[in-house]
mmCIF file of all heavy atoms in Angstrom:
data_model
loop_
_atom_site.group_PDB
_atom_site.id
_atom_site.type_symbol
_atom_site.label_atom_id
_atom_site.label_comp_id
_atom_site.label_asym_id
_atom_site.label_seq_id
_atom_site.Cartn_x
_atom_site.Cartn_y
_atom_site.Cartn_z
ATOM 1 N N ALA A 1 11.074 20.526 -6.817
ATOM 2 C CA ALA A 1 10.213 20.742 -5.647
ATOM 3 C C ALA A 1 10.700 19.950 -4.441
ATOM 4 O O ALA A 1 10.326 20.252 -3.298
ATOM 5 C CB ALA A 1 8.781 20.358 -5.982
ATOM 6 N N TRP A 2 11.541 18.929 -4.683
ATOM 7 C CA TRP A 2 12.059 18.108 -3.582
ATOM 8 C C TRP A 2 13.309 18.757 -2.999
ATOM 9 O O TRP A 2 14.432 18.304 -3.207
ATOM 10 C CB TRP A 2 12.343 16.685 -4.066
ATOM 11 C CG TRP A 2 11.102 15.903 -4.340
ATOM 12 C CD1 TRP A 2 10.510 15.691 -5.546
ATOM 13 C CD2 TRP A 2 10.271 15.256 -3.368
ATOM 14 N NE1 TRP A 2 9.366 14.955 -5.400
ATOM 15 C CE2 TRP A 2 9.196 14.656 -4.079
ATOM 16 C CE3 TRP A 2 10.340 15.117 -1.982
ATOM 17 C CZ2 TRP A 2 8.196 13.935 -3.427
ATOM 18 C CZ3 TRP A 2 9.333 14.394 -1.350
ATOM 19 C CH2 TRP A 2 8.291 13.816 -2.059
ATOM 20 N N THR A 3 13.108 19.809 -2.263
ATOM 21 C CA THR A 3 14.191 20.482 -1.547
ATOM 22 C C THR A 3 14.679 19.591 -0.409
ATOM 23 O O THR A 3 14.011 18.607 -0.040
ATOM 24 C CB THR A 3 13.692 21.813 -0.975
ATOM 25 O OG1 THR A 3 12.658 21.510 -0.006
ATOM 26 C CG2 THR A 3 13.129 22.714 -2.076
ATOM 27 N N PRO A 4 15.847 19.894 0.193
ATOM 28 C CA PRO A 4 16.275 19.108 1.359
ATOM 29 C C PRO A 4 15.221 19.040 2.450
ATOM 30 O O PRO A 4 15.011 17.986 3.058
ATOM 31 C CB PRO A 4 17.532 19.851 1.820
ATOM 32 C CG PRO A 4 18.103 20.430 0.558
ATOM 33 C CD PRO A 4 16.895 20.838 -0.247
ATOM 34 N N GLY A 5 14.529 20.138 2.690
ATOM 35 C CA GLY A 5 13.472 20.127 3.697
ATOM 36 C C GLY A 5 12.320 19.225 3.312
ATOM 37 O O GLY A 5 11.751 18.519 4.149
ATOM 38 N N ALA A 6 11.952 19.230 2.015
ATOM 39 C CA ALA A 6 10.861 18.372 1.551
ATOM 40 C C ALA A 6 11.245 16.904 1.662
ATOM 41 O O ALA A 6 10.414 16.054 2.017
ATOM 42 C CB ALA A 6 10.492 18.722 0.112
ATOM 43 N N LEU A 7 12.508 16.585 1.366
ATOM 44 C CA LEU A 7 12.963 15.203 1.506
ATOM 45 C C LEU A 7 12.974 14.774 2.967
ATOM 46 O O LEU A 7 12.633 13.628 3.296
ATOM 47 C CB LEU A 7 14.358 15.048 0.890
ATOM 48 C CG LEU A 7 14.427 15.123 -0.642
ATOM 49 C CD1 LEU A 7 15.877 15.133 -1.101
ATOM 50 C CD2 LEU A 7 13.672 13.967 -1.283
ATOM 51 N N ASP A 8 13.372 15.678 3.852
ATOM 52 C CA ASP A 8 13.331 15.370 5.294
ATOM 53 C C ASP A 8 11.901 15.056 5.738
ATOM 54 O O ASP A 8 11.655 14.096 6.474
ATOM 55 C CB ASP A 8 13.867 16.553 6.107
ATOM 56 C CG ASP A 8 15.377 16.656 6.075
ATOM 57 O OD1 ASP A 8 16.026 15.648 5.724
ATOM 58 O OD2 ASP A 8 15.909 17.734 6.395
ATOM 59 N N ALA A 9 10.954 15.893 5.299
ATOM 60 C CA ALA A 9 9.558 15.687 5.681
ATOM 61 C C ALA A 9 9.030 14.381 5.100
ATOM 62 O O ALA A 9 8.252 13.664 5.744
ATOM 63 C CB ALA A 9 8.706 16.869 5.212
ATOM 64 N N ASP A 10 9.452 14.060 3.882
ATOM 65 C CA ASP A 10 9.037 12.810 3.249
ATOM 66 C C ASP A 10 9.573 11.615 4.032
ATOM 67 O O ASP A 10 8.873 10.620 4.213
ATOM 68 C CB ASP A 10 9.547 12.778 1.814
ATOM 69 C CG ASP A 10 8.882 11.707 0.972
ATOM 70 O OD1 ASP A 10 7.645 11.718 0.879
ATOM 71 O OD2 ASP A 10 9.612 10.852 0.407
ATOM 72 N N ALA A 11 10.816 11.713 4.504
ATOM 73 C CA ALA A 11 11.398 10.634 5.313
ATOM 74 C C ALA A 11 10.637 10.461 6.628
ATOM 75 O O ALA A 11 10.451 9.335 7.108
ATOM 76 C CB ALA A 11 12.876 10.917 5.581
ATOM 77 N N ASP A 12 10.178 11.570 7.212
ATOM 78 C CA ASP A 12 9.362 11.475 8.430
ATOM 79 C C ASP A 12 8.049 10.748 8.140
ATOM 80 O O ASP A 12 7.590 9.937 8.961
ATOM 81 C CB ASP A 12 9.082 12.875 8.988
ATOM 82 C CG ASP A 12 10.312 13.507 9.626
ATOM 83 O OD1 ASP A 12 11.254 12.765 9.986
ATOM 84 O OD2 ASP A 12 10.325 14.746 9.760
ATOM 85 N N ARG A 13 7.439 11.032 6.991
ATOM 86 C CA ARG A 13 6.208 10.329 6.622
ATOM 87 C C ARG A 13 6.481 8.839 6.435
ATOM 88 O O ARG A 13 5.680 7.990 6.859
ATOM 89 C CB ARG A 13 5.622 10.926 5.335
ATOM 90 C CG ARG A 13 4.957 12.280 5.525
ATOM 91 C CD ARG A 13 4.162 12.695 4.301
ATOM 92 N NE ARG A 13 5.030 12.934 3.157
ATOM 93 C CZ ARG A 13 5.587 14.109 2.885
ATOM 94 N NH1 ARG A 13 5.382 15.153 3.680
ATOM 95 N NH2 ARG A 13 6.351 14.250 1.817
ATOM 96 N N PHE A 14 7.604 8.536 5.801
ATOM 97 C CA PHE A 14 7.976 7.130 5.609
ATOM 98 C C PHE A 14 8.094 6.416 6.955
ATOM 99 O O PHE A 14 7.563 5.321 7.139
ATOM 100 C CB PHE A 14 9.303 7.066 4.844
ATOM 101 C CG PHE A 14 9.883 5.681 4.732
ATOM 102 C CD1 PHE A 14 9.366 4.767 3.837
ATOM 103 C CD2 PHE A 14 10.947 5.293 5.532
ATOM 104 C CE1 PHE A 14 9.898 3.481 3.731
ATOM 105 C CE2 PHE A 14 11.483 4.020 5.444
ATOM 106 C CZ PHE A 14 10.954 3.112 4.542
ATOM 107 N N ARG A 15 8.774 7.049 7.906
ATOM 108 C CA ARG A 15 8.971 6.413 9.217
ATOM 109 C C ARG A 15 7.669 6.316 10.011
ATOM 110 O O ARG A 15 7.558 5.491 10.913
ATOM 111 C CB ARG A 15 10.035 7.183 9.999
ATOM 112 C CG ARG A 15 11.450 6.930 9.493
ATOM 113 C CD ARG A 15 12.488 7.572 10.399
ATOM 114 N NE ARG A 15 12.524 9.014 10.223
ATOM 115 C CZ ARG A 15 13.359 9.647 9.397
ATOM 116 N NH1 ARG A 15 14.231 8.955 8.669
ATOM 117 N NH2 ARG A 15 13.330 10.961 9.292
ATOM 118 N N SER A 16 6.687 7.139 9.689
ATOM 119 C CA SER A 16 5.398 7.033 10.371
ATOM 120 C C SER A 16 4.568 5.861 9.843
ATOM 121 O O SER A 16 3.627 5.411 10.510
ATOM 122 C CB SER A 16 4.601 8.339 10.206
ATOM 123 O OG SER A 16 4.094 8.477 8.888
ATOM 124 N N ILE A 17 4.920 5.363 8.654
ATOM 125 C CA ILE A 17 4.182 4.264 8.022
ATOM 126 C C ILE A 17 4.889 2.932 8.219
ATOM 127 O O ILE A 17 4.242 1.890 8.394
ATOM 128 C CB ILE A 17 4.005 4.549 6.516
ATOM 129 C CG1 ILE A 17 3.176 5.818 6.309
ATOM 130 C CG2 ILE A 17 3.377 3.367 5.788
ATOM 131 C CD1 ILE A 17 3.213 6.346 4.898
ATOM 132 N N TYR A 18 6.218 2.956 8.187
ATOM 133 C CA TYR A 18 7.025 1.744 8.230
ATOM 134 C C TYR A 18 7.910 1.695 9.465
ATOM 135 O O TYR A 18 8.481 2.724 9.875
ATOM 136 C CB TYR A 18 7.963 1.681 7.022
ATOM 137 C CG TYR A 18 7.327 1.376 5.697
ATOM 138 C CD1 TYR A 18 6.987 2.402 4.808
ATOM 139 C CD2 TYR A 18 7.115 0.063 5.296
ATOM 140 C CE1 TYR A 18 6.435 2.122 3.571
ATOM 141 C CE2 TYR A 18 6.572 -0.229 4.054
ATOM 142 C CZ TYR A 18 6.235 0.799 3.195
ATOM 143 O OH TYR A 18 5.691 0.522 1.965
ATOM 144 N N LEU A 19 8.082 0.502 10.026
ATOM 145 C CA LEU A 19 9.267 0.236 10.818
ATOM 146 C C LEU A 19 10.431 0.109 9.849
ATOM 147 O O LEU A 19 10.233 -0.121 8.648
ATOM 148 C CB LEU A 19 9.100 -1.068 11.602
ATOM 149 C CG LEU A 19 8.053 -1.052 12.724
ATOM 150 C CD1 LEU A 19 7.966 -2.436 13.371
ATOM 151 C CD2 LEU A 19 8.381 -0.002 13.763
ATOM 152 N N PRO A 20 11.687 0.264 10.314
ATOM 153 C CA PRO A 20 12.811 0.114 9.383
ATOM 154 C C PRO A 20 12.719 -1.196 8.602
ATOM 155 O O PRO A 20 12.374 -2.247 9.153
ATOM 156 C CB PRO A 20 14.029 0.125 10.313
ATOM 157 C CG PRO A 20 13.589 0.959 11.476
ATOM 158 C CD PRO A 20 12.128 0.629 11.676
ATOM 159 N N VAL A 21 13.005 -1.100 7.311
ATOM 160 C CA VAL A 21 12.984 -2.275 6.438
ATOM 161 C C VAL A 21 14.436 -2.736 6.295
ATOM 162 O O VAL A 21 15.205 -2.145 5.539
ATOM 163 C CB VAL A 21 12.380 -1.943 5.063
ATOM 164 C CG1 VAL A 21 12.352 -3.184 4.168
ATOM 165 C CG2 VAL A 21 10.976 -1.358 5.224
ATOM 166 N N PRO A 22 14.857 -3.802 7.010
ATOM 167 C CA PRO A 22 16.283 -4.107 7.064
ATOM 168 C C PRO A 22 16.812 -4.941 5.915
ATOM 169 O O PRO A 22 18.022 -4.906 5.640
ATOM 170 C CB PRO A 22 16.422 -4.878 8.382
ATOM 171 C CG PRO A 22 15.097 -5.541 8.569
ATOM 172 C CD PRO A 22 14.082 -4.602 7.978
ATOM 173 N N ILE A 23 15.956 -5.696 5.222
ATOM 174 C CA ILE A 23 16.498 -6.615 4.219
ATOM 175 C C ILE A 23 15.403 -7.057 3.257
ATOM 176 O O ILE A 23 14.233 -7.209 3.644
ATOM 177 C CB ILE A 23 17.129 -7.863 4.910
ATOM 178 C CG1 ILE A 23 17.952 -8.689 3.926
ATOM 179 C CG2 ILE A 23 16.078 -8.705 5.605
ATOM 180 C CD1 ILE A 23 19.171 -7.964 3.400
ATOM 181 N N LEU A 24 15.787 -7.230 1.990
ATOM 182 C CA LEU A 24 14.961 -7.869 0.962
ATOM 183 C C LEU A 24 15.875 -8.727 0.104
ATOM 184 O O LEU A 24 17.094 -8.477 0.046
ATOM 185 C CB LEU A 24 14.277 -6.826 0.061
ATOM 186 C CG LEU A 24 13.177 -5.938 0.636
ATOM 187 C CD1 LEU A 24 12.657 -5.009 -0.453
ATOM 188 C CD2 LEU A 24 12.043 -6.756 1.207
ATOM 189 N N PRO A 25 15.358 -9.718 -0.602
ATOM 190 C CA PRO A 25 16.182 -10.442 -1.576
ATOM 191 C C PRO A 25 16.563 -9.500 -2.723
ATOM 192 O O PRO A 25 15.788 -8.588 -3.058
ATOM 193 C CB PRO A 25 15.274 -11.568 -2.061
ATOM 194 C CG PRO A 25 14.148 -11.622 -1.079
ATOM 195 C CD PRO A 25 13.995 -10.247 -0.524
ATOM 196 N N PRO A 26 17.713 -9.683 -3.345
ATOM 197 C CA PRO A 26 18.159 -8.737 -4.384
ATOM 198 C C PRO A 26 17.175 -8.530 -5.527
ATOM 199 O O PRO A 26 17.053 -7.407 -6.029
ATOM 200 C CB PRO A 26 19.467 -9.369 -4.885
ATOM 201 C CG PRO A 26 19.997 -10.094 -3.694
ATOM 202 C CD PRO A 26 18.776 -10.648 -3.013
#
């Protein structure tokens, strides 16, 4: 069900919730 279009839309939802997450400890 995760077509390229669905993944694109999911990434848009992610960016609407988060600012870019640049770093975490390993």
Side-chain angles (χ1 to χ4, degrees):
W2 289 98
T3 63
L7 289 173
D8 283 342
D10 195 56
D12 287 340
R13 286 191 294 271
F14 173 77
R15 285 187 286 266
S16 73
I17 298 167
Y18 287 97
L19 292 178
V21 181
I23 192 65
L24 291 181

